[in-house]
Amino acid sequence: MEQVAAYLDWNDSIKALNTAYESGLFVLIIGPKGTGKTSLVRDFAKSKNVNLESINFSLRTRESHLIGTKTLNEGTVSFDEGLLTRSMREGSMLYLDEINAAEADVLLRLDEALDDRRQITLKESTGEVVKAREDWFVVATINPLTHSGTKELPPQLLSRFPVRIRLEYPPEGTELEIVRRHVSGQESEIIQAIKLANTLRQAAAVEELFYSPSLRETIAFGKLLEEGMCAREAAMFVFGNVYTQWGSVEYQKVSDIITSMFGN
Ligand SMILES: Nc1ncnc2c1ncn2[C@@H]1O[C@H](COP(=O)(O)OP(=O)(O)OP(=O)(O)O)[C@@H](O)[C@H]1O
Ligand SMILES: [Mg+2]
């Protein structure tokens, strides 16, 4: 199994999470894909020594995933509690990933649990009211609206998360430090790859390109080098080839940038 690299808290997000946690305020993390949102929350839960319950929202996520489902077992009906119900009862940390991908009915149910009373009525079961434990803590993430498939989070749900942390791409030096937590060696080539990634990110930000590489890519590049691949080839595999998806003009543009940075 892959060893998990230690999280580098480069913009004091852990401190902000800690303060929110101590004040019982829920947190929203906003940032593009692959900027360390999930790693940050995992690291924080570990530091608090609490159990982390995670759900990744999509259009297929149903209320029952959150609340629970009735099951029939040898003639008796019982209720299998969902993630939300369980975490409220146990006072664990709840991680709602990409919450803006959820359907309206799911969001409505979440809203019920997240308001100031912090309770839900199990109307699909006995009608019991489940009140969250005092230490229940919730962190949600959303991707910026530019990402395809994302919707705007309704304002009243947004207001349930009054502490908002921005997690953007780190400065180049910081990114290098992060990549070095995952791979060793080849520093000068990794610096080049981070420069390349930032060039592509800037082009994507002004919609000159369709795709913005994340930290996942710069780490992957380092891993290929570690296995002995040459830098140019690794750059094509990790950064270049993906643009074929948007046609040969887009691909050629990036391919030329890679050649100018890594040679032929
Ligand atoms: N500050 C950091 N310290 C150490 N590793 C990091 C850091 N930030 C990102 N990474 C690494 O970058 C990769 C992507 O991070 P992660 O999955 O946490 O991002 P994410 O924002 O949750 O992505 P997505 O939006 O796609 O879910 C992981 O391999 C993670 O370990
Ligand atoms: Mg994530």
Side-chain angles (χ1 to χ4, degrees):
M1 229 193 80
E2 197 193 351
Q3 220 191 322
V4 183
Y7 184 80
L8 177 75
D9 184 25
W10 60 277
N11 67 352
D12 272 346
S13 294
I14 297 275
K15 191 168 147 205
L17 275 169
N18 243 316
T19 311
Y21 184 85
E22 295 306 327
S23 339
L25 298 171
F26 295 161
V27 175
L28 185 72
I29 305 177
I30 311 174
K33 73 183 151 50
T35 47
K37 300 183 290 296
T38 302
S39 323
L40 166 65
V41 175
R42 283 209 190 114
D43 192 74
F44 179 64
K46 218 165 96 189
S47 77
K48 287 282 156 200
N49 212 1
V50 296
N51 195 19
L52 184 68
E53 300 261 21
S54 310
I55 179 163
N56 191 263
F57 286 90
S58 73
L59 292 174
R60 287 192 308 274
T61 310
R62 295 282 158 261
E63 270 182 77
S64 58
H65 296 131
L66 297 175
I67 311 296
T69 40
K70 266 190 177 148
T71 53
L72 192 61
N73 224 327
E74 288 165 4
T76 48
V77 181
S78 60
F79 190 69
D80 233 353
E81 289 192 341
L83 212 83
L84 174 69
T85 317
R86 206 166 55 225
S87 93
M88 289 173 87
R89 249 193 233 289
E90 291 173 357
S92 53
M93 201 177 286
L94 181 63
Y95 180 52
L96 307 171
D97 207 6
E98 290 181 62
I99 191 176
N100 54 336
E103 294 271 34
D105 59 326
V106 176
L107 291 180
L108 209 66
R109 215 57 209 285
L110 261 181
D111 197 44
E112 178 192 347
L114 296 171
D115 85 5
D116 298 339
R117 285 170 305 167
R118 311 255 148 107
Q119 62 183 42
I120 43 163
T121 307
L122 300 182
K123 60 176 183 237
E124 38 282 269
S125 166
T126 53
E128 181 196 349
V129 176
V130 176
K131 183 131 187 53
R133 247 174 55 168
E134 200 58 33
D135 54 351
W136 187 50
F137 187 59
V138 184
V139 182
T141 72
I142 55 175
N143 282 334
L145 288 173
T146 46
H147 287 234
S148 61
T150 48
K151 296 175 294 202
E152 201 181 346
L153 199 63
Q156 98 268 16
L157 198 61
L158 206 50
S159 75
R160 306 295 188 229
F161 302 92
V163 179
R164 291 94 189 221
I165 296 177
R166 282 183 63 209
L167 209 51
E168 291 293 323
Y169 303 115
E172 290 186 7
T174 308
E175 186 162 351
L176 177 62
E177 224 181 304
I178 293 172
V179 174
R180 306 227 36 169
R181 291 198 167 194
H182 296 263
V183 296
S184 52
Q186 278 95 5
E187 183 148 310
S188 65
E189 276 116 336
I190 291 171
I191 291 173
Q192 277 291 88
I194 291 170
K195 281 203 193 330
L196 170 63
N198 278 314
T199 304
L200 301 175
R201 288 166 190 164
Q202 277 150 25
V206 295
E207 289 172 359
E208 274 169 22
L209 289 175
F210 283 106
Y211 183 78
S212 187
S214 73
L215 268 81
R216 232 171 250 132
E217 272 100 337
T218 46
I219 293 168
F221 174 88
K223 286 188 173 163
L224 292 182
L225 292 195
E226 215 174 31
E227 292 302 321
M229 192 181 276
C230 79
R232 183 197 150 75
E233 202 182 359
M236 287 310 292
F237 277 128
V238 173
F239 297 102
N241 293 345
V242 64
Y243 292 95
T244 310
Q245 197 178 348
W246 295 278
S248 56
V249 174
E250 182 112 349
Y251 167 76
Q252 199 52 53
K253 227 181 335 184
V254 176
S255 188
D256 291 345
I257 298 172
I258 291 176
T259 302
S260 74
M261 293 179 83
F262 294 94
N264 270 303

